[in-house]
Amino acid sequence: FGLANLLTTVLTDSVLRDSRTNERHFMSLRWRERQSAINRLRQLLSEPGRHFQDGLVDRQIASRAIKSLEGKEILKDAEVEPQTALGLLKLLDTDGTGAIFIEEFLCS
């Protein structure tokens, strides 16, 4: 009986360690995938005609970029709904100028 308890404890400990390792690996992978999506979105918003001075981007132009096929694919990879991203653009335009900081949007 004592040996069975010892074996159960050892096996349970091993399974828990493997589970934690797998969880850390999965979280690391998801983080890298999201960082990649953010970098792709940064590139999309920084393309000629979309980007202007001091790291600002026109909210309407950013909105069109997000609604584009490429923008939708990037947001899907980042697990962000297009409507959420569009709402965030509006929310970040606090002064009503129609311009938002690219980095502020990407870090939100």
Side-chain angles (χ1 to χ4, degrees):
F1 184 70
L3 184 57
N5 284 342
L6 179 61
L7 286 174
T8 301
T9 301
V10 169
L11 288 173
T12 301
D13 185 56
S14 176
V15 168
L16 287 174
R17 266 188 274 125
D18 288 346
S19 175
R20 283 187 224 119
T21 300
N22 288 339
E23 183 179 359
R24 282 192 296 269
H25 175 72
F26 176 75
M27 289 173 62
S28 176
L29 180 62
R30 289 300 306 137
W31 184 84
R32 284 192 302 267
E33 288 172 350
R34 286 185 179 170
Q35 285 301 113
S36 174
I38 288 170
N39 288 333
R40 289 174 27 227
L41 188 56
R42 180 181 290 115
Q43 289 173 340
L44 179 65
L45 293 174
S46 297
E47 287 178 357
R50 291 198 173 116
H51 182 73
F52 56 97
Q53 66 187 23
D54 301 326
L56 292 168
V57 67
D58 181 79
R59 192 178 90 183
Q60 297 302 320
I61 292 173
S63 178
R64 283 195 295 274
I66 287 171
K67 291 177 183 177
S68 72
L69 181 60
E70 183 179 5
K72 288 178 183 177
E73 288 175 10
I74 292 169
L75 291 175
K76 181 179 176 186
D77 290 345
E79 297 180 358
V80 174
E81 292 293 323
Q83 288 305 111
T84 301
L86 294 170
L88 187 57
L89 288 174
K90 185 175 181 179
L91 194 66
L92 291 174
D93 185 16
T94 57
D95 58 4
T97 62
I100 60 162
F101 286 98
I102 290 175
E103 291 305 315
E104 186 177 19
F105 172 68
L106 294 174
C107 293
S108 297

